[in-house]
Amino acid sequence: EVQLVESGGDLVQPGRSLRLSCVVSGFTFDDFAMHWVRQAPGKGLEWVSGITYNSGTRGYAESVKGRFTTSRDNARNSLYLQMNSLRVEDTALYYCVKDIGQWLDGLQEWGQGTLVTVSS
Amino acid sequence: DIQMTQSPSSLSASVGDRVTITCRASQSISTFLHWYQQKPGKAPKLLIYAASSLQSGVPSRFSGSGSGTDFTLTISNLQPEDFATYYCQQSYSFPYTFGQGTKLEIK
């Protein structure tokens, strides 16, 4: 059974940093690209970032480019999202998502999300 | 950025109906288009990938079509569990983008 478990969400002040983690099981992690997708309360889905199976390519939404960094540790079956200079508008539920394949494409399996709240 | 526009934004239908949701891209995306279903309080679920391929385990009443800029998701013989919000998403180029969602409600 595929499992993706996010952690690291918290209440933080604007301008601070936070690191999200996602530990996966039930599939060969280093065979698949991975993504972060967020959903603000009561709003739609927003793709945040993606990383290929070998970390060779990473992509970011314009709204987070230069502030957020996605990385992965294939030896630890883990995906990370380093979030710096957080803004109130970054408040959302952040999902860790497994891709269909090695290259960034469709979003096949989703975690349950971790909540990030940015507020003073 | 590629803009994805879904229509309608909301839709009322009855059990047994056939419904169609459309998704239009602001530029050609070939078939790099996927459809998701989300129920309240739950994570989204992949239904259709690459415009028309049915994800494993998804009922065959769901189907997708289209290429270029215009795509459709069709649900035949609506079931009670199909009432949810549906999103399209493009993976043609960064940044990947979603449509605004279509909320399917019971009439």
Side-chain angles (χ1 to χ4, degrees):
Chain A
E1 179 192 7
V2 171
Q3 288 195 321
L4 304 101
V5 180
E6 305 94 337
S7 62
D10 203 350
L11 169 62
V12 296
Q13 293 180 325
R16 305 298 290 264
S17 298
L18 204 58
R19 189 195 198 206
L20 305 185
S21 299
C22 173
V23 177
V24 312
S25 60
F27 64 99
T28 304
F29 183 62
D30 53 11
D31 275 350
F32 293 91
M34 297 291 296
H35 304 260
W36 290 100
V37 175
R38 69 185 181 183
Q39 188 167 35
K43 302 298 183 182
L45 301 171
E46 181 184 16
W47 179 84
V48 173
S49 180
I51 183 169
T52 51
Y53 72 106
N54 61 357
S55 301
T57 298
R58 306 173 206 216
Y60 297 93
E62 292 297 326
S63 58
V64 307
K65 195 176 290 185
R67 300 188 298 122
F68 289 11
T69 302
T70 293
S71 61
R72 63 189 295 161
D73 183 339
N74 286 349
R76 296 179 183 270
N77 284 356
S78 294
L79 176 72
Y80 306 102
L81 183 66
Q82 178 65 43
M83 303 186 295
N84 299 331
S85 303
L86 282 161
R87 304 169 180 169
V88 170
E89 55 265 33
D90 295 320
T91 295
L93 185 64
Y94 284 72
Y95 292 103
C96 168
V97 189
K98 170 187 172 291
D99 197 278
I100 290 172
Q102 293 186 333
W103 304 101
L104 297 161
D105 205 346
L107 311 175
Q108 186 180 48
E109 301 281 354
W110 298 61
Q112 288 307 302
T114 187
L115 183 62
V116 173
T117 304
V118 184
S119 175
S120 54
Chain B
D1 297 6
I2 297 175
Q3 308 302 316
M4 306 301 294
T5 304
Q6 288 181 232
S7 60
S9 295
S10 63
L11 175 61
S12 293
S14 301
V15 173
D17 283 354
R18 179 176 185 267
V19 299
T20 298
I21 298 169
T22 65
C23 180
R24 174 164 288 175
S26 59
Q27 66 182 73
S28 177
I29 57 170
S30 184
T31 57
F32 292 89
L33 187 284
H34 321 286
W35 290 97
Y36 305 87
Q37 176 194 66
Q38 187 178 32
K39 296 181 180 179
K42 300 295 187 181
K45 172 186 173 183
L46 177 65
L47 300 174
I48 301 287
Y49 63 95
S52 60
S53 296
L54 191 68
Q55 170 66 10
S56 175
V58 174
S60 59
R61 62 181 180 272
F62 291 91
S63 64
S65 65
S67 67
T69 60
D70 294 312
F71 302 86
T72 59
L73 172 70
T74 299
I75 313 171
S76 302
N77 188 23
L78 267 175
Q79 296 300 298
E81 60 267 30
D82 300 336
F83 293 93
T85 300
Y86 293 84
Y87 295 92
C88 61
Q89 175 243 333
Q90 66 84 16
S91 61
Y92 181 80
S93 66
F94 292 147
Y96 293 174
T97 43
F98 286 91
Q100 80 278 16
T102 295
K103 187 172 184 179
L104 177 55
E105 299 175 304
I106 300 174
K107 184 183 287 184

